[in-house]
Amino acid sequence: MNLSGFDDPRITASGVSPGRVAELFSRWIVDEITAAHPLSRRKARDLVCEKWILPILDGLDEMDPEGTLPRRALAVIRALNDSAHVGRATVVVTCRTSLYERLAAVTPSDVPDLRPGELPILQNASVVRLEPLAVERVQRHLIHRFGRARMPPPASPPADEMDCEPAPAAPARRLVVAPRWQPVLSHLGEHPDSPFSTLLRSPLWLFVTIAAHLNQGSPAELIGLESAVIRERMLARLVPETVAQHRPPRGGWSASEVHQYLAVFAGHLAYRRAEGNGLSTGFRPHELWQLAGVRLPLLLTALVNGTLTVLLLFAALVGYHDATSYWIPPFAAGKALLVGGMLFVMWVYVYSYRSPGQLRSLDTTMLRTPSGKRRLLVSCVWPLAGLGLGYLFGLWFSQGYGDRVGQAYGISWVAIGFILAVETVLAHRPAAVRRPSLVMSQALLFQYTVLFSYGLFFALAFGGANWAAYPWHPTSFVDGAFLGSCIGLAIGVGRTCGAPGTRYAIAWALLTARNVLPRRRLGPFLDWAYHAGLLRLTGIAVQFRHHALQEWLGCRR
């Protein structure tokens, strides 16, 4: 679990005790488990408390902007040390050494509510720190990766012993490293404390060095250089070498384009870190619309959603006019609905601009779980509520239109109940995905499914209601279905105007026109970079696998 997702604003509010933060933290752990696995909250909580699940909490150093007091990380540490949490669950916390040392240096002057004698580090915990590799292990690893077996020439016995001695045993094979790596092995043995040797003793930089010189290039060129220059050259080679090893799909991206797109992501993360806004080491794909600016995508999203709602409701009004010859309904109930439609359009414009962009997806596997079956039973309330509200609507609508028309259209409210019931059972907030592209593909599938479900259900409901109200009219069902589909799609647009799909599509069109993002869809590029080892997934957040590469790209955008 990535602690950067624990973004409850209450944990840093003044006056909030560590015990309260511990409660919020325990709820967050349970929420993360239930979102990723088909378990009820009670079972997830029991499994954690009984220590059948060991939460691994990554990203403690990603909770706060760099260069600031780590208040959020400190709140989590104090919550884990609090008696409300101690003994209830065992956890593993990972972070960079530099942040942990900063936490240890926090004083009561930095945090006024720090109790006397309270240490801002984990208590009763074992600390595991990665130590530099031994030179011999680095040499063995390089020989293992780039060595090849060689048979030494057999020694010829003396001529006078050839007839009396038995044949010598077959000479043992020995591993010989590739010629371009031989100077590196010699340098490691002769200068174990040089800048290059010190970098190679780090597991991270050993991996980067191998990845940057896997098939070509001479790592011996790095011998004798300063540490900063060595890092610069290795990171500069990492992306082109990765593209050469993991060929993009046909019509894909060149090494320069991959460098450009990754630099855009790194620059975006650097900007967010400087602003202290959200994750600074990872991004969520459905939030990448912010690359096109903060206001422009929101304004265009509001314009698209609002205009589409206006057109759909106007089409419904045209259908009503063709059937009745009225532009303005003659009765009070109809006029109230017309005013309600205008207010609904205004709400769509405002909410499309101000919505935070709630991410939802559909998960049919929930139906096979006990919690999903319980949610299915609870969802039956929605059709019943729709039936009850529809009956009241029918009584109100029948004033002027007659009981037959009012009750027929009142029953159509059951359509909303059925759609809300399906959302209750199948919709959930994704906590983890198998590859980055699934974040947006599942979100778009949810948005389009909900949108067209409203259109289909309302078309059938209004068509049936109109046919029941005017059975003698030959086109009553078609007229009602057209009216219902327009109104249903308009309601669907309003229901999904807070989803991130529309603003994502608008921002992608803007960014591809500026050649900022890949000319093909963004999802395949993220998937390729993930499988090539340049990016990684933490829940639904995409991160650079190597923080050093992110920092290097961010400075060269």
Side-chain angles (χ1 to χ4, degrees), residues 517-531:
L517 285 184
R519 59 183 180 271
R520 297 175 58 190
R521 291 185 299 132
L522 179 60
F525 175 78
L526 293 177
D527 288 346
W528 173 84
Y530 169 68
H531 291 297

Side-chain angles (χ1 to χ4, degrees), residues 223-500:
I223 297 175
L225 301 178
E226 296 294 331
S227 180
V229 178
I230 297 174
R231 289 190 177 94
E232 172 83 16
R233 293 195 178 185
M234 285 194 294
L235 292 174
R237 289 186 54 87
L238 183 59
V239 172
E241 188 68 18
T242 303
V243 174
Q245 297 169 23
H246 304 272
R247 293 289 183 182
R250 176 174 294 183
W253 317 276
S254 63
S256 60
E257 289 175 325
V258 172
H259 183 281
Q260 173 191 343
Y261 303 145
L262 292 178
V264 170
F265 300 147
H268 174 61
L269 295 176
Y271 171 77
R272 295 178 66 175
R273 180 178 57 200
E275 296 293 323
N277 180 23
L279 291 172
S280 61
T281 59
F283 58 88
R284 298 181 179 93
H286 66 283
E287 296 177 351
L288 283 177
W289 59 268
Q290 299 172 4
L291 289 170
V294 178
R295 297 184 180 276
L296 182 59
L298 295 179
L299 288 172
L300 293 178
T301 301
L303 181 63
V304 169
N305 286 334
T307 303
L308 184 58
T309 305
V310 169
L311 293 176
L312 288 170
L313 293 181
F314 181 74
L317 185 61
V318 170
Y320 175 80
H321 171 73
D322 292 341
T324 63
S325 72
Y326 289 107
W327 284 107
I328 298 178
F331 303 108
K335 294 178 180 178
L337 290 178
L338 186 61
V339 173
M342 296 178 182
L343 295 176
F344 179 74
V345 170
M346 296 175 59
W347 178 84
V348 170
Y349 274 111
V350 174
Y351 191 72
S352 296
Y353 181 81
R354 300 183 63 88
S355 171
Q358 299 176 351
L359 185 66
R360 292 289 185 272
S361 63
L362 298 176
D363 186 7
T364 57
T365 61
M366 294 292 295
L367 294 175
R368 299 195 295 267
T369 64
S371 60
K373 294 176 181 178
R374 285 192 296 269
R375 293 174 67 177
L376 181 60
L377 292 177
V378 173
S379 66
C380 296
V381 174
W382 287 112
L384 296 177
L387 185 62
L389 291 175
Y391 177 75
L392 297 177
F393 175 84
L395 294 178
W396 173 70
F397 197 69
S398 61
Q399 300 176 10
Y401 290 94
D403 294 338
R404 187 186 186 94
V405 177
Q407 293 303 321
Y409 275 92
I411 296 176
S412 64
W413 278 68
V414 180
I416 300 180
F418 276 114
I419 297 174
L420 293 177
V422 173
E423 286 190 49
T424 301
V425 177
L426 301 181
H428 78 296
R429 179 179 63 89
V433 290
R434 296 190 306 273
R435 58 181 186 272
S437 63
L438 290 180
V439 176
M440 280 312 303
S441 62
Q442 292 179 357
L444 291 172
L445 176 62
F446 170 80
Q447 184 172 347
Y448 294 148
T449 300
V450 171
L451 176 64
F452 290 107
S453 294
Y454 273 96
L456 178 61
F457 274 79
F458 268 75
L460 296 176
F462 273 49
N466 207 45
W467 178 78
Y470 308 102
W472 59 85
H473 200 286
T475 61
S476 58
F477 181 85
V478 175
D479 294 340
F482 176 78
L483 180 66
S485 63
C486 293
I487 294 177
L489 289 174
I491 295 176
V493 171
R495 178 68 181 85
T496 60
C497 66

